[in-house]
Amino acid sequence: MNSNRSVLGGTIFVVVSAIAGGAMAASETVKAHAGAISPDALKWGPAPPSLPKGAQAAVLAGDPGKPGLWTLRLKLPAGYKIPAHQHPTFEAATLISGSFNVGMGDKLDEAKADKLTAGSFIYLPANMNHFAFATTESVVQINSEGPFTITYVNPADDPRKTQ
């Protein structure tokens, strides 16, 4: 195990990257009141431009672009990669389905990533450099506090600069 990972109760707390940079409008899925949302009721749309193209997002609660807690799901195609980056707020995520790999560091290094399977929980404190990639189509549920932003370690990796 790498020394830059924390272990709590035998579970490795590693990182996932997610969404951010700029406001993301709340989707039709957002509930203003208590209630359940079934998977078939999710309204998927393109992930924000702060993430590499190809991901889809569905907001379940809150608004990532505004102050306050929020929950969303990201659907990532096989081969999807998020270069090394960090956020000013924590991330707590659960892999719903697929095979997702995460690692700590200043650049995406597949050899230094941990492979996660469905049901894995990941937590990352604010300002920790991390990267992620999906080896199969994957769905990740992310909880955090807004407004949420993303800063890439290498500014050339920022997809907003190439659009």
Side-chain angles (χ1 to χ4, degrees), residues 12-38:
I12 299 175
F13 284 84
V14 293
V15 61
V16 71
S17 150
I19 173 170
M24 177 179 171
S27 78
E28 296 173 31
T29 305
V30 174
K31 298 288 184 177
H33 58 280
I37 302 171
S38 63

Side-chain angles (χ1 to χ4, degrees), residues 14 16 72-76 92-102 114-123 132-143:
V14 293
V16 71
L72 67 81
R73 288 192 182 168
L74 286 175
K75 187 185 298 184
L76 310 172
T94 302
L95 181 60
I96 302 297
S97 64
S99 181
F100 195 61
N101 302 270
V102 295
D114 288 313
K115 181 179 180 181
L116 305 177
T117 56
S120 297
F121 176 78
I122 46 188
Y123 178 85
F133 58 97
T135 52
T136 65
E137 180 176 276
S138 300
V139 175
V140 180
Q141 182 165 307
I142 301 168
N143 300 280

Side-chain angles (χ1 to χ4, degrees), residues 22 47-48 51 54 60 71 138-139:
L51 289 177
L60 291 117
T71 301
S138 300
V139 175

Side-chain angles (χ1 to χ4, degrees), residues 56-132:
Q56 295 180 38
V59 176
L60 291 117
D63 184 339
K66 295 180 181 176
L69 298 175
W70 53 263
T71 301
L72 67 81
R73 288 192 182 168
L74 286 175
K75 187 185 298 184
L76 310 172
Y80 188 82
K81 296 180 180 184
I82 305 171
H85 63 280
Q86 64 172 268
H87 312 281
T89 57
F90 75 93
E91 282 183 296
T94 302
L95 181 60
I96 302 297
S97 64
S99 181
F100 195 61
N101 302 270
V102 295
M104 312 297 178
D106 295 340
K107 71 181 242 182
L108 194 149
D109 184 345
E110 292 184 15
K112 293 183 178 178
D114 288 313
K115 181 179 180 181
L116 305 177
T117 56
S120 297
F121 176 78
I122 46 188
Y123 178 85
L124 180 68
N127 304 311
M128 180 175 283
N129 290 348
H130 57 282
F131 57 88

